Amino acid sequence: MIFLDMRTVVHFSNISSKKLGGVQRRARRHAKTRLEILRAASSVFRKSGYASSGMREIALAADLSTGNLYRYFRSKDEILYFCQDGTLDRLRSALVTARKARGPLSARLRDLAAAHVLCLIGEVEGSAAHIEEGELPRAMRTAILKKRDAYERGVRALVASGMQRGELRHGDATIVTRAFLGALNWSAHWFRPEGSQSPAEIAQVVADYAVGGLAGDGARSKGRQI
Amino acid sequence: MIFLDMRTVVHFSNISSKKLGGVQRRARRHAKTRLEILRAASSVFRKSGYASSGMREIALAADLSTGNLYRYFRSKDEILYFCQDGTLDRLRSALVTARKARGPLSARLRDLAAAHVLCLIGEVEGSAAHIEEGELPRAMRTAILKKRDAYERGVRALVASGMQRGELRHGDATIVTRAFLGALNWSAHWFRPEGSQSPAEIAQVVADYAVGGLAGDGARSKGRQI
């Protein structure tokens, strides 16, 4: 056992906190650059298509040297993986909010739908969500599919619960949930950032449509109308 | 001017019709093989992903030699093009039917939606519809996008007309139509032929959901319920 007098401890912890500050600052800077790369890459994928995009083009868009880009990501696949992974994290957090919320399920699913669309078209790197996960190497693909399946199961549980309570129109919860998610996911496919409507406006209209397909006649009047 | 006596004319036209029969038979056989190739290719694309599929694998699936396959299609891109083009022809024909039909727009759009889903998951080569048209060379991509845009404009016109007549819930017809088509198109993404439900059953459930999002409270009761 080592004994330290008070001065040594104070001195030691000062150095340590100073060092820790530097480490944290570097980590924050690193994370910020990674996010900037993901955004730049996402817009390159959108413009040139995933297959035709290269690390050099991504580096150029992110204002980095190609060598520097490789310090952050080992490959284009890894970049796509982190784009999709980050989007799924945000979707999951929207699901947690919908689960915890009170009120009719149509309203909760409406908010979830709007958040979902916003993740895909508002968050720039979310737009990489329209790229088939089939492009990824097997291990990455498996990880993404696992996360996406968990999210979809969570949404389906909300839909099924709404149907059981009679708040939503009765139907095959699995297929209906897939159609619901299709209406939302497709926005990543057709959205163009240069369009006249903001991502937030689009998210509202798509969410209203998507939850309209779920709602029974009774539930419809409880939900928000256009 | 050349004069022919009656016998000559009859003899000549007999030969001609015989030859024509042979030409037609060969053309039919050629078209049939092409369709078989498109179906085989579509299932290869689904299993292996478009990027990883090769002409050799497609030939194997279509039970042809690779050399023979090239007599029908010059490249994998051309095969994908004809898969997507054929699907769009069928979608357009469903749109024509919906335009001509009588009755409330919610019911006509419901039938169109079911036909749309069935084109994507029932017709085997339609499943290639989930592949990004961005994979195609520019000229083919332009042709597909033009045809797809024309179809989407036609659907939007039906939706807008339903909104104007007060048969469908009022909203932004462009975004709502895209969300509607998203619910339908996504089925090509998640459908698995080995699943327990038939394409026809799935098409009904998805169509009911998709038109539910369009329908106002009044129109809803006029449409078919699940």
Side-chain angles (χ1 to χ4, degrees):
Chain A
M1 197 181 282
I2 302 165
F3 292 90
L4 299 165
D5 70 25
M6 214 47 196
R7 265 181 321 177
T8 320
V9 171
V10 169
H11 179 68
F12 187 78
S13 70
N14 273 354
I15 290 179
S16 168
S17 121
K18 217 171 178 178
K19 272 190 181 165
L20 198 66
V23 168
Q24 283 175 337
R25 218 167 25 248
R26 274 196 299 280
R28 275 200 303 273
R29 205 161 49 219
H30 188 83
K32 195 168 161 257
T33 308
R34 276 176 68 95
L35 198 59
E36 281 166 8
I37 294 170
L38 294 181
R39 288 182 175 163
S42 182
S43 109
V44 169
F45 295 158
R46 179 179 286 284
K47 269 186 220 143
S48 312
Y50 183 69
S52 316
S53 307
M55 287 295 266
R56 183 181 288 198
E57 200 181 351
I58 295 168
L60 204 69
D63 211 12
L64 291 170
S65 70
T66 313
N68 207 357
L69 174 59
Y70 278 102
R71 287 179 52 212
Y72 292 89
F73 294 102
R74 276 173 297 180
S75 66
K76 184 175 76 167
D77 288 341
E78 201 180 270
I79 293 179
L80 176 59
Y81 168 79
F82 280 105
C83 280
Q84 298 195 335
D85 189 65
T87 301
L88 282 166
D89 281 343
R90 278 191 290 277
L91 291 180
R92 190 164 52 181
S93 126
L95 176 64
V96 169
T97 305
R99 268 191 195 138
K100 285 184 187 161
R102 307 222 159 235
L105 271 158
S106 57
R108 286 154 65 186
L109 281 161
R110 203 202 150 280
D111 291 344
L112 173 63
H116 182 122
V117 174
L118 216 50
C119 275
L120 301 189
I121 67 173
E123 297 286 339
V124 187
E125 75 276 30
S127 69
H130 79 285
I131 298 165
E132 292 281 322
E133 67 290 332
E135 300 277 359
L136 288 173
R138 185 180 296 269
M140 290 183 187
R141 187 165 70 230
T142 306
I144 290 293
L145 288 181
K146 200 175 158 190
K147 217 164 179 172
R148 204 188 61 192
D149 286 351
Y151 172 69
E152 292 188 2
R153 272 199 306 277
V155 178
R156 192 178 61 219
L158 286 178
V159 170
S161 146
M163 286 175 173
Q164 277 159 14
R165 293 188 203 176
E167 289 183 37
L168 303 179
R169 193 158 42 123
H170 193 70
D172 184 313
T174 301
I175 301 180
V176 166
T177 302
R178 283 171 173 165
F180 170 75
L181 291 170
L184 311 180
N185 287 337
W186 202 246
S187 55
H189 192 86
W190 57 260
F191 175 70
R192 296 291 172 268
E194 61 276 16
S196 63
Q197 280 157 310
S198 74
E201 286 168 328
I202 291 171
Q204 296 303 323
V205 179
V206 174
D208 275 324
Y209 166 82
V211 91
L214 296 175
D217 286 351
R220 177 176 285 268
S221 58
K222 290 181 203 161
R224 185 183 162 283
Q225 300 288 312
I226 295 178
Chain B
M1 193 180 281
I2 303 165
F3 291 89
L4 299 166
D5 71 23
M6 213 48 196
R7 263 183 322 183
T8 320
V9 171
V10 170
H11 179 68
F12 188 78
S13 71
N14 272 355
I15 289 180
S16 169
S17 120
K18 215 172 179 180
K19 270 190 181 165
L20 198 68
V23 169
Q24 284 175 337
R25 220 172 19 250
R26 274 196 298 280
R28 276 200 303 273
R29 204 163 48 220
H30 189 83
K32 194 170 161 253
T33 308
R34 275 176 69 95
L35 198 60
E36 280 167 8
I37 294 170
L38 294 181
R39 289 185 173 161
S42 182
S43 108
V44 169
F45 294 158
R46 179 179 286 285
K47 268 187 220 142
S48 312
Y50 183 68
S52 316
S53 306
M55 288 293 267
R56 183 180 289 198
E57 201 180 350
I58 295 169
L60 204 68
D63 210 12
L64 293 170
S65 72
T66 313
N68 206 359
L69 174 60
Y70 276 103
R71 287 178 52 211
Y72 292 89
F73 295 101
R74 276 173 298 180
S75 65
K76 184 176 75 168
D77 288 341
E78 203 179 89
I79 293 178
L80 176 59
Y81 168 79
F82 280 105
C83 281
Q84 298 195 334
D85 189 65
T87 301
L88 281 166
D89 281 342
R90 276 190 291 277
L91 291 180
R92 191 163 52 181
S93 126
L95 176 63
V96 170
T97 305
R99 269 190 195 137
K100 285 186 187 159
R102 307 221 159 237
L105 272 156
S106 57
R108 287 154 65 186
L109 281 161
R110 201 202 151 279
D111 290 345
L112 174 62
H116 183 122
V117 174
L118 216 49
C119 275
L120 301 189
I121 65 174
E123 298 287 338
V124 187
E125 75 277 29
S127 68
H130 80 285
I131 298 166
E132 293 281 323
E133 66 291 333
E135 300 278 359
L136 288 173
R138 185 181 295 269
M140 292 182 186
R141 187 167 68 230
T142 307
I144 290 293
L145 287 180
K146 202 175 155 189
K147 215 162 182 173
R148 204 188 60 192
D149 286 351
Y151 172 70
E152 292 188 2
R153 272 198 307 276
V155 178
R156 192 179 59 219
L158 287 178
V159 169
S161 146
M163 286 175 174
Q164 277 159 13
R165 295 189 201 175
E167 289 183 37
L168 303 179
R169 194 157 42 125
H170 192 70
D172 183 314
T174 302
I175 301 180
V176 165
T177 301
R178 283 169 172 166
F180 170 75
L181 291 170
L184 310 181
N185 286 336
W186 202 245
S187 55
H189 192 86
W190 58 259
F191 174 71
R192 296 289 173 270
E194 61 276 15
S196 63
Q197 278 156 314
S198 74
E201 287 169 327
I202 291 171
Q204 295 302 324
V205 179
V206 174
D208 275 325
Y209 165 82
V211 91
L214 296 176
D217 286 351
R220 175 177 286 271
S221 57
K222 291 181 203 160
R224 185 182 164 284
Q225 299 287 313
I226 296 178

